[in-house]
Amino acid sequence: MLDLAGKRIVLGLTGGIACYKAAELTRGLIKAGASVQVVMTDAATHFITPVTMQALSGQPVHTDQWDARIANNMAHIDLTRTADAILIAPCSADFMATLARGGCTDLLSTMCLARPSMLPLMVAPAMNVEMWQNPATQRNVRQLKDDGIMVLGPDAGEQACGETGMGRMLEAVQLVEEMVAAFQPKSLRGKQVMITAGPTFEPIDPVRGITNLSSGKMGYALARAAREAGADVTLVSGPTALATPAGVQRINVQTAQQMFDVVMSRVTGQDVFIAVAAVADWRVVNASEQKLKKSAEGGLPALVFAANPDILATVAALPQAPYCVGFAAESEQLLKYGKAKRAAKNIPLLIGNIGHHTFGMDENELVLFDADGQIQFPHAHKQTLARQLITAISERLAPAS
Ligand code: C5P
């Protein structure tokens, strides 16, 4: 998806082994529609060559404050005047210190200090765990945040130096996601949003169970869109193969009952509850502790079912219920059933999937049912629809008193 179409990003590289990820990052940003202007510190050129970065970005790389190629020799000014954001990735401990004290030690730091005041500056720290935890670095991180600089990551894990802990730079895909998020309107800033997603899995025995074809894509797209809009997002997810969207708290569950329990234990204080999960209507009450064996006589197992709790209806019936949104995947007469389902669940907004072949697909077509009637959202990528839905939900939320 061209989520960064037309965006001009100045990508700054400072000295660190994570420079190798900057190559992938450049490709990712360009694939998302952005143009990338690379600026490197001298230290960065020891880790990855300007030739590589020029080839990937398709633009000459700037490394020097004194550059006779530039007519006015003021790269530190010119480079940011038409930019939409500056991203420093990797950002070394030393470069954070320089930014924190407003230093101008080379082209990149001078350019950051001389940037227009409204131009977003993001940094993706990358360093050894001890360097990250050092009080001096933590003091600089606080200073950067106070100065309105966005600090993306770092992550914890194995480090190139062989030690383990906080300090790994976020992966290229995560940084692209963060850049996309930075450009989205903050219509849910400060709101708490809980989303259920994916299928549930109801065991029959230790190796078998009943599930459905839900991929979780729509729920995950909504979680990402809600977080992009500034919300604090909890995603309660059945089994899926999807990556957790950046900045989203994900809680994994298997059965409908587990999903119900997690939702009910955390729903207090939520502003919005979006039930996207394809929850199994029934569970097997006589699930076997041991694997069921085929009988020699050809007898069949007798499964006994019980109804699962309706999570959405239960949340909607709470005295201080959040703004509840449900989904409907009907195979016929969606318009008739959609209206009825909104009423039956007693929710303000119900989203109908037009056609029931949406499971697993990247695209969808939706219709919104609310008290005023219905609105159709034409066929589009699920992420695009998710952003439209989040806008629609934010418009329907009661203004904070
Ligand atoms: O009743 P039906 O399953 O068609 O309703 C679908 C909507 O209700 C979806 O939003 C789904 O996430 C939610 N649901 C639920 N708990 C259930 C069944 C459905 O939250 N047990």
Side-chain angles (χ1 to χ4, degrees):
M1 278 185 69
L2 293 176
D3 285 334
L4 292 172
K7 298 292 182 211
R8 288 152 302 188
I9 294 171
V10 177
L11 176 63
L13 276 65
T14 69
I17 186 62
C19 275
Y20 82 91
K21 294 185 185 175
E24 199 66 48
L25 173 59
T26 304
R27 287 182 68 92
L29 292 170
I30 288 174
K31 219 170 140 197
S35 65
V36 178
Q37 170 64 67
V38 176
V39 181
M40 299 171 73
T41 64
D42 183 51
T45 65
H46 290 272
F47 290 93
I48 189 166
T49 69
V51 174
T52 300
M53 296 309 295
Q54 176 171 353
L56 292 173
S57 66
Q59 300 196 50
V61 170
H62 290 264
T63 55
D64 196 357
Q65 210 167 349
W66 319 112
D67 191 341
R69 290 176 304 174
I70 298 179
N72 64 358
N73 220 318
M74 288 195 203
H76 66 289
I77 305 288
D78 301 347
L79 285 170
T80 62
R81 291 308 182 261
T82 54
D84 295 297
I86 305 174
L87 170 62
I88 311 291
C91 187
S92 65
D94 181 59
F95 199 77
M96 290 206 302
T98 304
L99 282 179
R101 69 176 172 79
C104 297
T105 51
D106 54 13
L107 172 61
L108 189 59
S109 54
T110 311
M111 183 195 84
C112 287
L113 199 73
R115 75 188 185 280
S117 59
M118 297 306 286
L119 182 66
L121 171 57
M122 293 91 163
V123 299
M127 66 199 69
N128 165 268
V129 54
E130 298 297 343
M131 291 169 88
W132 172 254
Q133 286 171 352
N134 191 291
T137 303
Q138 288 305 308
R139 195 165 58 238
N140 291 333
V141 171
R142 285 194 296 278
Q143 185 63 58
L144 297 188
K145 289 181 178 170
D146 280 354
D147 292 346
I149 296 171
M150 277 178 66
V151 180
L152 308 176
D155 225 341
E158 255 179 54
Q159 304 202 307
C161 56
E163 297 184 358
T164 305
M166 284 296 276
R168 281 169 59 101
M169 188 170 89
L170 295 186
E171 298 302 325
V173 284
Q174 293 172 297
L175 286 173
V176 173
E177 252 188 64
E178 293 286 4
M179 294 306 288
V180 173
F183 290 114
Q184 300 305 316
K186 303 296 169 214
S187 59
L188 288 179
R189 194 192 298 281
K191 299 287 185 201
Q192 306 282 322
V193 175
M194 181 181 268
I195 298 171
T196 64
T200 62
F201 180 90
E202 309 296 329
I204 294 173
D205 70 15
V207 294
R208 302 184 182 94
I210 299 170
T211 187
N212 60 64
L213 291 176
S214 168
S215 64
K217 284 180 181 172
M218 194 66 218
Y220 277 58
L222 274 162
R224 179 175 165 179
R227 195 267 176 163
E228 287 173 352
D232 193 350
V233 181
T234 306
L235 176 64
V236 186
S237 175
T240 75
L242 302 174
T244 310
V248 166
Q249 190 198 359
R250 167 170 163 185
I251 303 168
N252 290 326
V253 296
Q254 210 178 33
T255 65
Q257 187 63 48
Q258 288 167 357
M259 188 173 271
F260 178 85
D261 292 343
V262 169
V263 167
M264 296 317 288
S265 68
R266 292 170 181 254
V267 74
T268 308
Q270 297 291 330
D271 299 293
V272 178
F273 177 65
I274 313 177
V276 199
V279 184
D281 291 317
W282 313 284
R283 67 178 174 277
V284 180
V285 283
N286 61 339
S288 172
E289 303 242 316
Q290 306 302 331
K291 185 181 169 196
L292 293 171
K293 294 261 177 282
K294 257 191 275 185
S295 99
E297 297 80 47
L300 300 174
L303 300 181
V304 181
F305 290 93
N308 275 325
D310 190 318
I311 306 169
L312 176 58
T314 310
V315 171
L318 290 171
Q320 307 263 298
Y323 184 86
C324 285
V325 183
F327 270 73
E330 301 294 341
S331 55
E332 52 167 356
Q333 297 196 53
L334 173 68
L335 298 188
K336 180 173 140 202
Y337 288 127
K339 249 167 107 173
K341 189 166 289 190
R342 190 181 90 82
K345 304 241 180 197
N346 196 19
I347 54 175
L349 185 61
L350 183 102
I351 318 295
N353 293 300
I354 299 180
H356 60 293
H357 298 301
T358 162
F359 278 6
M361 299 292 165
D362 286 331
E363 302 194 341
N364 204 357
E365 194 175 343
L366 302 175
V367 51
L368 276 62
F369 300 90
D370 70 2
D372 296 331
Q374 62 211 42
I375 308 168
Q376 205 147 326
F377 281 5
H379 194 261
H381 194 282
K382 283 181 176 172
Q383 195 58 61
T384 305
L385 289 168
R387 292 194 183 113
Q388 292 169 353
L389 270 181
I390 288 298
T391 303
I393 291 168
S394 66
E395 287 165 357
R396 286 163 174 77
L397 282 186
S401 48

